[in-house]
């Protein structure tokens, strides 16, 4: 009954804001809430949302297979409700693909193909076309004119704010499509991969899941469980990127990771980025 | 090349097993030389390393006083850059013509959010060597079409002529043909953005 | 006609659409114009560059060169006031209006003395010491609306600007900084992180000595007695009552000046600032003290 009600509210959460809201003072209260009482957190951001309303998400758990709602959590609309610009997402993905791609395709020019030093036949008097080398690009077995030469870097730098917008846009579209979940922490009761696979299956998170935590070291159970599951991966906050978010079906953030991401992106959206927006030079010191 | 190599090897031979004697090979060697050693060096030629004398006395460390929590630290903090652009504290008047955003603007069906520098995001784009002037209103939220209609009627009333505008829904901006930056900023102030 | 709520509508539309993944994203249609290659009889021959010469080879003649004619810029009488322009000091302008806007938006603190470091810190003004730019030229645009009471140090100011600031009970000084000091003032954090000792400020070059020792221009090397006389003179010339700054509550702040050898307020040459441990290293060695005090 409650789950039906919750899912109904979840479906309507864009149009209806809950009438009764209990505000607790800080986030610590939300994290320490027991399973049977929902805690609803209103956050005080350094940069208050102006027009768009903050997004509300459930805080879920990972320690049982069935989903339990531990509380409600507010997310800043500048980061988690940005307009879904697919073109910006695409440009970020193209950038991530190209930045480290080096093309090793290679062809030989007429100078590098073996032989061809001698003039095949005299210039005049034979009634044949004039040729100077049997390795000319016109000849079969000759060199290639304007062919690919190896070691061609495709490196380029996307403008700084396109990268920031790429992150906010992808996070927002993930949240809008119900593919972003906030969990309290990454503690599992067991280290068996079957448990995690069943949990993902049961909660309909799709086969591939990206877990993002604030810390460099994830808890032991979840690292052991995801070790053999190639499609469930763990990542620290500073590694979060557009490509990985799109590669995985579902993005699971811990509460602290969601806050950290929000804080960092809000910082860059409200700071003087003259240094960061400078033209990128590869050989600069 | 050969001569250079020979001199280098002679230098290396001279220093074999004696590298501990080179007291200071820092870039500011000259400034740290004692007065006695300097006169000795000045009498010699620098054309060959092998002829140059060893450094006799080097002042390795000048005396410094390390002050923890100094009273001057406020002066240092004043110089450090802003972490984020500071919010504007309310004042009685703003002589420069900057107008703070009003609270009632948030209840309008459309909204124009300020930039990170607390300015109204209305810009003039001049192209084709000054032939084409386009006024661009960015960062629009809410009902962009209603805002477009209001802007059109406002500009028509002000200028007694029809002003062409263009709405970009995905990019969330409106462009007006012509230079109407000042008029539109005035309009935005009147709405409280 | 489209939707009424751009962001909300598009985000709610996404809920019923397939999951955004690497396989179904793309750029906006027609946002990139493909590079075209001409075809047919004359499509591939010159690519629009013409035949021979600078058009084809992109080796354009230098500006003003007229292929052997006596060029125009040498034929007509020269503009002598531009002579040596590439050697002269340049002072990028900052208007009083912009300064007032910075103050209104709390980008500079009027309760502290303002110098070029705090003006650059605001993020609204920028300059490049390596391009022979020697600091702020405070210009008189917006002199009528300027109302702030400040203690400001700039590198160049006109008489009207000095009058506009002193009318409000403020204090203005013109001070010279050598390019090395200006690099430090432009990015103090970078300098402190380098771990070097704060150097001395150099004295002005011979052609700038006159400006910076003159009381009329409020030079930092001028006699304070002369300056107070000139303040009174200027108020009589422009017809305003000179406010008595000794009665101001922030008289201490208004009196704050840098030493001619000092680059940062409150920090002496020779000190090393350690940002990590929040401590300052002060020299005690007589040799160093003598060096930094001369």
């Amino acid at each position: 009954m409650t789950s039906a009600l919750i899912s109904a509210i979840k479906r309507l959460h864009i149009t209806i804001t809950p009438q009764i809201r209990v505000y607790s003072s800080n986030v610590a209260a939300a994290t320490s809430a027991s399973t049977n009482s929902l805690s609803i957190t209103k956050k005080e951001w350094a940069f208050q949302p102006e027009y768009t309303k903050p997004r509300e998400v459930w805080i879920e758990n990972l320690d049982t297979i069935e989903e339990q709602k531990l509380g409600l959590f507010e997310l800043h609309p500048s980061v988690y409700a940005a307009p879904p610009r697919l073109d910006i997402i695409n440009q970020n993905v193209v950038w991530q693909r190209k930045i480290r791609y080096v093309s090793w395709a290679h062809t030989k020019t007429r100078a590098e193909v073996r032989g061809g030093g001698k003039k095949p036949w005299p210039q005049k008097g034979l009634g044949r076309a004039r040729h100077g080398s049997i390795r000319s690009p016109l000849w079969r077995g000759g060199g290639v004119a304007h062919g690919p030469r190896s070691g061609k870097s495709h490196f380029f730098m996307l403008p700084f704010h396109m990268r920031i917008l790429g992150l906010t846009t992808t996070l927002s579209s993930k949240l809008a499509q119900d593919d972003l979940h906030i969990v309290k922490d990454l503690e599992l009761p067991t280290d068996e991969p079957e448990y995690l696979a069943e949990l993902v299956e049961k909660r309909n998170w799709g086969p591939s899941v990206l877990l993002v935590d604030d810390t460099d070291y994830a808890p032991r159970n979840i690292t052991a469980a995801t070790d053999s599951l190639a499609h469930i991966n763990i990542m620290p906050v500073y590694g979060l990127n557009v490509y990985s978010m799109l590669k995985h079906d579902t993005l699971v953030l811990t509460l602290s990771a969601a806050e950290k991401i929000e804080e960092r992106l809000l910082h860059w959206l409200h700071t003087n980025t003259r240094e960061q927006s400078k033209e990128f030079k590869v050989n600069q010191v | 090349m050969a001569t250079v190599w020979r001199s280098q090897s002679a230098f290396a031979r001279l220093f074999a097993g004696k590298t501990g004697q080179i007291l200071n090979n820092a870039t500011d060697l000259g400034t740290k030389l004692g007065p006695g050693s300097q006169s000795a060096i000045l009498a010699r030629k620098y054309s060959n390393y092998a002829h140059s004398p060893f450094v006799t006395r080097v002042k390795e460390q000048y005396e410094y006083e390390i002050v923890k929590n100094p009273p001057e630290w406020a002066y240092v903090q004043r110089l450090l850059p802003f972490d984020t652009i500071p919010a504007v504290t309310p004042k009685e008047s703003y002589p420069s013509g900057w107008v703070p955003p009003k609270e009632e603007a948030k209840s309008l069906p459309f909204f124009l959010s300020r930039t990170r520098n607390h300015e109204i995001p209305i810009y003039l784009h001049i192209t084709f060597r000054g032939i084409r002037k386009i006024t661009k209103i960015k960062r629009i939220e809410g009902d962009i079409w209603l805002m477009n209609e209001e802007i059109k009627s406002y500009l028509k009333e002000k200028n007694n002529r029809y002003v062409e505008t263009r709405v970009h829904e995905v990019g969330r901006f409106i462009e007006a043909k012509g230079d109407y930056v000042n008029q539109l900023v005035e309009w935005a102030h009147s709405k409280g953005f | 006609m489209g939707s009424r709520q751009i962001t909300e509508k598009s985000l709610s539309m996404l809920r019923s659409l397939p999951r955004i993944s690497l396989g179904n994203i793309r750029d906006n249609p027609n946002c990139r114009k493909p590079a075209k290659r001409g075809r047919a009889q004359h499509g591939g021959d010159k690519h629009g560059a013409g035949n021979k010469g600078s058009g084809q080879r992109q080796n354009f003649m230098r500006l003003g060169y007229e292929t052997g004619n006596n060029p125009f810029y040498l034929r007509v009488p020269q503009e002598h006031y531009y002579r040596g322009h590439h050697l002269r000091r340049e002072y990028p302008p900052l208007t009083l209006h912009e300064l007032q806007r910075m103050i209104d938006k709390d980008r500079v603190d009027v309760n502290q003395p303002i110098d070029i470091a705090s003006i650059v810190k605001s993020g609204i003004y920028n300059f490049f010491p390596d391009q022979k730019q020697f600091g702020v030229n405070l210009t008189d645009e917006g002199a009528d609306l300027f109302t702030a009471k400040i203690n400001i140090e700039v590198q160049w100011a006109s008489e009207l600007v000095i009058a506009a600031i002193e009318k409000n009970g403020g204090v203005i000084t013109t001070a010279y900084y050598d390019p090395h000091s200006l690099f430090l003032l432009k990015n103090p954090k970078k300098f402190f992180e380098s771990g070097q000792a704060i150097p001395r400020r150099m004295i002005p070059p011979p052609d700038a000595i006159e400006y910076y020792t003159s009381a009329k221009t409020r030079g930092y090397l001028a006699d304070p007695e002369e300056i107070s006389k000139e303040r009174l003179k200027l108020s009589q010339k422009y017809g305003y009552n000179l406010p008595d700054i000794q009665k101001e509550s922030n008289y201490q702040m208004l009196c704050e000046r840098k030493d001619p050898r000092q680059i940062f307020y409150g920090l002496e040459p020779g000190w090393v600032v350690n940002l990590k441990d929040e401590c300052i290293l002060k020299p005690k060695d007589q040799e160093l003290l003598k060096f930094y005090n001369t």
Side-chain angles (χ1 to χ4, degrees):
Chain A
M1 178 59 204
T2 38
S3 65
L5 186 68
I6 284 161
S7 59
I9 291 172
K10 214 175 164 186
R11 247 179 275 129
L12 293 171
H13 87 284
I14 282 171
T15 47
I16 295 175
T17 48
Q19 294 297 308
I20 305 154
R21 307 213 303 183
V22 186
Y23 298 140
S24 69
S25 58
N26 55 2
V27 189
T31 50
S32 62
S34 59
T35 47
N36 48 14
S37 70
L38 291 179
S39 81
I40 303 166
T41 317
K42 182 171 172 65
K43 288 210 289 191
E44 284 298 323
W45 289 287
F47 307 98
Q48 283 294 325
E50 282 179 309
Y51 191 74
T52 316
K53 298 277 174 294
R55 288 292 182 268
E56 285 177 336
V57 285
W58 293 113
I59 302 166
E60 297 166 29
N61 67 326
L62 284 183
D63 47 14
T64 54
I65 288 189
E66 285 78 33
E67 185 180 318
Q68 289 175 356
K69 313 271 190 240
L70 302 181
L72 263 177
F73 189 61
E74 276 192 334
L75 296 173
H76 199 285
S78 303
V79 177
Y80 291 95
R85 292 276 301 271
L86 290 191
D87 53 325
I88 290 179
I89 297 180
N90 182 56
Q91 286 187 36
N92 271 271
V93 168
V94 168
W95 169 64
Q96 281 193 266
R97 279 187 178 138
K98 280 190 174 176
I99 188 167
R100 47 187 294 175
Y101 174 66
V102 177
S103 166
W104 294 106
H106 190 78
T107 53
K108 283 181 177 172
T109 66
R110 58 186 290 170
E112 288 162 351
V113 184
R114 189 184 177 88
K118 194 181 78 173
K119 191 168 175 72
W121 50 75
Q123 180 83 351
K124 297 173 82 71
L126 293 185
R128 304 190 66 172
R130 43 200 181 191
H131 281 288
S133 164
I134 60 161
R135 300 304 184 201
S136 138
L138 305 181
W139 284 59
R140 181 185 158 277
V144 179
H146 304 303
R149 304 290 289 168
S150 73
K152 186 180 164 60
S153 165
H154 287 243
F155 177 90
F156 74 104
M157 213 62 193
L158 203 65
F160 178 77
H161 285 287
M162 292 289 279
R163 288 178 262 154
I164 295 288
L165 266 182
L167 287 173
T168 57
T169 311
T170 315
L171 285 168
S172 308
S173 36
K174 278 276 173 197
L175 180 65
Q177 294 197 319
D178 278 346
D179 291 333
L180 190 148
H181 297 271
I182 307 278
V183 293
K184 202 182 85 190
D185 48 35
L186 295 182
E187 292 293 344
L188 296 188
T190 163
D191 62 355
E192 285 176 12
E194 290 79 21
Y195 171 84
L196 198 59
E198 199 190 338
L199 185 145
V200 168
E201 176 72 30
K202 195 96 175 176
R203 297 195 186 178
N204 204 13
W205 281 359
S208 56
V209 178
L210 179 67
L211 304 154
V212 178
D213 200 0
D214 191 17
T215 53
D216 277 350
Y217 296 95
R220 195 219 157 251
N221 277 354
I222 195 142
T223 43
T226 53
D227 204 27
S228 59
L229 296 171
H231 51 274
I232 298 180
N233 296 302
I234 315 177
M235 190 179 264
V237 160
Y238 57 79
L240 191 73
N241 62 84
V242 174
Y243 191 93
S244 304
M245 280 195 270
L246 292 182
K247 191 166 173 64
H248 295 83
D249 291 331
T250 303
L251 177 67
V252 177
L253 307 176
T254 60
L255 202 59
S256 54
E259 284 205 314
K260 180 86 177 171
I261 292 165
E262 194 175 85
E263 187 245 310
R264 290 309 300 160
L265 290 177
L266 278 179
H267 171 265
W268 286 120
L269 288 172
H270 291 92
T271 192
N272 183 359
T273 51
R274 183 185 275 159
E275 281 299 310
Q276 286 76 20
S277 310
K278 266 188 195 165
E279 191 190 359
F280 185 83
K281 295 189 184 74
V282 180
N283 55 351
Q284 70 190 5
V285 182
Chain B
M1 183 62 214
T3 51
V4 171
W5 174 243
R6 209 175 303 128
S7 69
Q8 274 180 350
S9 55
F11 181 61
R13 244 180 284 125
L14 190 72
F15 277 89
K18 292 192 230 169
T19 43
Q21 291 176 19
I22 306 172
L23 292 177
N24 197 331
N25 54 359
T27 49
D28 53 353
L29 179 74
T31 60
K32 287 187 177 177
L33 286 173
S37 64
Q38 261 179 357
S39 59
I41 289 172
L42 285 173
R44 305 300 294 251
K45 283 181 183 171
Y46 286 106
S47 55
N48 197 338
Y49 276 120
H51 291 160
S52 60
F54 287 116
V55 175
T56 49
R57 191 176 71 85
V58 171
K59 193 161 191 178
E60 287 187 343
Q61 185 75 50
Y62 286 108
E63 274 183 72
Y64 258 88
E65 178 192 6
I66 299 173
V67 188
K68 290 260 175 193
N69 303 319
E72 292 91 358
W73 196 253
Y75 292 107
V76 176
Q77 273 178 332
R78 202 194 283 176
L79 292 166
L80 300 181
F82 294 121
D83 182 35
T84 53
I85 290 168
V88 181
T89 49
K91 302 181 184 69
E92 303 95 68
S93 66
Y94 302 89
S96 66
W98 183 83
V99 177
K102 292 185 194 117
E103 197 59 34
E104 61 256 32
K106 290 180 186 172
S107 55
L108 288 173
F110 47 79
F111 190 72
L112 200 60
S113 60
R114 293 279 177 117
T115 64
R116 71 189 69 199
N117 286 322
H118 312 293
E119 298 287 350
I120 287 175
I122 298 180
Y123 307 97
L124 182 65
H125 291 289
I126 301 177
T127 35
F128 301 137
R129 297 187 174 199
I131 302 293
R132 184 172 70 179
K133 288 177 181 167
I134 303 271
T135 311
K136 192 173 183 182
I137 311 166
K138 290 169 76 178
R139 298 171 69 108
I140 299 169
E141 288 173 56
D143 195 342
I144 192 167
W145 293 97
L146 186 63
M147 187 168 178
N148 181 41
E149 282 158 27
E150 289 215 8
I151 285 170
K152 268 193 162 172
S153 59
Y154 175 82
L155 290 178
K156 190 171 186 181
E157 195 189 321
K158 275 262 173 187
N159 302 293
N160 295 321
R161 59 187 283 270
Y162 174 79
V163 175
E164 190 67 78
T165 60
R166 190 168 81 127
V167 176
H168 198 299
E169 259 189 287
V170 178
R172 301 191 298 157
F173 61 81
I174 298 176
E175 288 175 328
K177 198 170 176 182
D179 181 358
Y180 299 106
V181 171
N182 289 342
Q183 288 180 13
L184 287 173
V185 167
E186 202 180 301
W187 171 83
H189 284 156
S190 72
K191 290 280 170 187
F193 297 132
Chain C
M1 189 130 306
S3 64
R4 291 284 160 182
Q5 289 286 330
I6 312 168
T7 312
E8 303 283 356
K9 184 74 183 292
S10 46
L11 285 174
S12 59
M13 268 167 68
L14 272 185
R15 284 175 74 83
S16 53
L17 289 171
R19 175 181 284 139
I20 295 174
S21 72
L22 293 173
N24 56 15
I25 49 169
R26 57 147 199 202
D27 229 327
N28 284 339
N30 305 326
C31 70
R32 226 168 260 284
K33 196 177 170 189
K36 278 189 181 154
R37 188 167 64 86
R39 307 266 171 164
Q41 192 184 359
H42 301 295
D45 34 286
K46 301 286 187 292
H47 297 286
N51 203 8
K52 295 211 285 188
S54 59
Q56 194 182 21
R57 302 195 186 94
Q58 303 287 301
N59 53 350
F60 299 108
M61 292 177 294
R62 68 169 196 269
L63 200 63
Y65 185 60
E66 294 178 22
T67 62
N69 290 347
N70 189 17
F72 182 79
Y73 75 96
L74 293 176
R75 225 182 309 147
V76 295
Q78 292 180 21
E79 302 180 17
H80 295 289
Y81 42 85
Y82 282 143
R83 181 166 289 164
H85 66 90
H86 59 293
L87 300 170
R88 292 193 204 162
R89 288 186 301 279
E90 195 181 317
Y91 297 91
L94 173 76
T95 65
L96 279 173
H97 188 188
E98 282 171 327
L99 181 63
Q100 181 68 51
R101 213 173 171 86
M102 280 187 207
I103 292 166
D104 283 354
K105 290 199 288 179
D106 290 338
R107 291 299 193 87
V108 290
D109 189 2
V110 289
N111 300 319
Q112 309 288 357
I114 298 166
D115 64 341
I116 188 161
S118 52
I119 291 173
V120 172
K121 182 191 165 185
S122 73
I124 288 165
Y125 179 87
N126 201 9
F127 76 111
F128 301 93
D130 52 340
Q131 295 173 17
K132 292 201 161 44
Q133 297 182 349
F134 278 72
V136 185
N137 172 15
L138 198 60
T139 59
D140 54 10
E141 189 185 328
D144 293 336
L145 53 81
F146 191 79
T147 54
K149 187 165 67 182
I150 49 171
N151 175 7
I152 191 167
E153 187 193 75
V154 291
Q155 278 61 53
W156 205 270
S158 67
E159 194 186 57
L160 181 57
V161 170
I162 295 170
I165 285 174
E166 289 180 353
K167 186 185 163 192
N168 299 323
V171 177
I172 183 167
T173 319
T174 53
Y176 173 83
Y177 292 95
D178 55 308
H180 188 203
S181 321
L182 286 168
F183 275 115
L184 268 55
L185 286 160
K186 189 181 169 185
N187 197 347
K189 190 177 175 219
K190 189 181 168 192
F191 173 73
F192 293 150
E193 280 169 353
S194 74
Q196 295 172 46
I198 301 171
R200 297 171 303 170
R201 186 174 9 156
M202 295 294 117
I203 55 166
D207 58 335
I209 286 271
E210 196 190 346
Y211 187 88
Y212 292 110
T213 49
S214 160
K216 270 209 171 104
T217 54
R218 308 292 183 270
Y220 72 122
L221 300 173
D223 184 13
E225 291 290 317
E226 289 290 312
I227 287 181
S228 56
K229 271 183 212 164
E230 289 291 338
R231 278 168 65 89
L232 195 63
K233 263 196 207 169
L234 195 64
S235 68
Q236 284 164 357
K237 180 178 175 184
Y238 282 88
Y240 58 85
N241 288 327
L242 189 67
D244 188 5
I245 60 165
Q246 294 191 351
K247 287 175 188 160
E248 298 290 347
S249 55
N250 52 1
Y251 177 63
Q252 283 297 328
M253 187 278 285
L254 290 175
C255 285
E256 220 173 313
R257 300 280 189 288
K258 285 181 195 173
D259 188 79
R261 284 298 192 189
Q262 207 177 5
I263 294 174
F264 303 113
Y265 274 112
L267 303 176
E268 285 171 22
W271 290 5
V272 180
V273 175
N274 184 345
L275 287 181
K276 200 181 171 195
D277 302 335
E278 298 201 357
C279 61
I280 294 178
L281 279 70
K282 297 178 183 175
K284 273 175 22 184
D285 204 286
Q286 279 307 315
E287 202 182 331
L288 282 185
L289 287 175
K290 203 178 146 197
F291 174 77
Y292 282 115
N293 286 330
T294 49

